[in-house]
Amino acid sequence: MAIGVKALPITFVAHALAIVAAIMVLVWCLGFRGGLAWEDTNKNLIFNLHPVLMLIGLIIIGGEAIMSYKGLNLRKEVKKVIHLVLHAIALILGIIGIYAAFKYHNESAIVNLYSLHSWLGIAVISLYGIQWLYGFVIFFYPGGSTGLRSESLPWHVLFGLFVYILAVANAAIGFLEKLTFLENSGLAKYGSEALLVNFTAVITILYGAFVIFSVASQGPAEDDYNYSAI
């Protein structure tokens, strides 16, 4: 059931929020936290890859994949490929982002998987991967029967939204966790960096909300929105 609002303006707002969120996390990691690195004596630069890849990859590109069905006035088969590829990119960047966090912990003699954020992160990336594989097999190649696709579609959408909402919520927890560590280490609670991190989390949540709104909005009238094997 769709709300009485066209998808296009909702997706435009979401795209703008995505750009703002990406700029903010880059300003934070490059301007305040010293930059990004895969190998460095300053292990904090390795960690900085984590929020950048998780936000731009899993949250923003993953959100764009979700919006592709309602926000693009293209043939269904084309949108299916865009949806599939964007989710694959989001998944790959998410995996690299999580690996960067483990790499930082291991090289800094910090234990892994001790926080709610880390537990939910593993759950999210695992569920995201399962969702992508199932969607590929059932809706893309080799493709399930018409009946199976029809029965699977509502659950595919519902489960995908659940995983995405969980990812956005965990991103907010991650910002809170990192900021709390920094503040306990002496960062000013009302300083510019603390405000930047908090506002980045707020923009991330708003972006996630508009992604969800786009799913419930009215897409192009000529599209039947059914999944079928190419």
Side-chain angles (χ1 to χ4, degrees):
M1 188 173 84
I3 59 177
V5 178
K6 296 294 185 181
L8 199 58
I10 293 177
T11 58
F12 279 166
V13 174
H15 297 328
L17 290 170
I19 294 171
V20 172
I23 291 173
M24 292 175 77
V25 75
L26 287 171
V27 168
W28 178 39
C29 291
L30 297 176
F32 286 91
R33 294 287 96 202
L36 308 171
W38 189 254
E39 297 287 349
D40 201 281
T41 54
N42 182 359
K43 303 307 178 183
N44 290 319
L45 303 187
I46 298 174
F47 174 82
N48 291 346
L49 290 168
H50 177 70
V52 170
L53 292 176
M54 299 310 291
L55 179 56
I56 294 178
L58 204 65
I59 304 300
I60 293 179
I61 296 179
E64 295 296 326
I66 292 173
M67 292 188 294
S68 63
Y69 267 101
K70 290 293 184 74
L72 297 176
N73 190 16
L74 301 170
R75 291 186 300 110
K76 180 177 60 180
E77 290 78 8
V78 175
K79 289 192 287 187
K80 182 188 296 185
V81 173
I82 293 173
H83 180 78
L84 181 77
V85 171
L86 287 179
H87 271 312
I89 295 172
L91 179 60
I92 292 169
L93 292 179
I95 292 171
I96 297 172
I98 289 178
Y99 181 79
F102 276 92
K103 180 177 171 66
Y104 162 73
H105 280 197
N106 293 336
E107 295 184 11
S108 303
I110 300 173
V111 297
N112 292 304
L113 299 175
Y114 62 86
S115 67
L116 175 63
H117 174 66
S118 61
W119 294 359
L120 290 178
I122 295 299
V124 165
I125 204 68
S126 300
L127 294 174
Y128 204 110
I130 292 171
Q131 169 80 344
W132 189 88
L133 287 173
Y134 185 83
F136 183 90
V137 172
I138 299 300
F139 301 115
F140 192 77
Y141 183 83
S145 65
T146 301
L148 179 59
R149 292 197 305 271
S150 179
E151 292 176 1
S152 298
L153 178 57
W155 293 105
H156 179 70
V157 174
L158 182 63
F159 186 73
L161 291 178
F162 165 73
V163 174
Y164 187 73
I165 291 170
L166 188 60
V168 172
N170 199 40
I173 294 174
F175 282 120
L176 173 63
E177 181 178 279
K178 183 61 176 179
L179 183 57
T180 300
F181 290 156
L182 292 173
E183 289 176 345
N184 289 339
S185 299
L187 184 72
K189 290 181 171 58
Y190 294 99
S192 56
E193 183 175 357
L195 292 174
L196 174 63
V197 175
N198 279 329
F199 276 113
T200 303
V202 170
I203 296 298
T204 299
I205 293 170
L206 287 175
Y207 172 73
F210 274 89
V211 170
I212 302 303
F213 291 156
S214 75
V215 175
S217 64
Q218 297 176 356
E222 70 276 12
D223 198 336
D224 60 11
Y225 297 110
N226 291 321
Y227 287 79
S228 60
I230 293 179

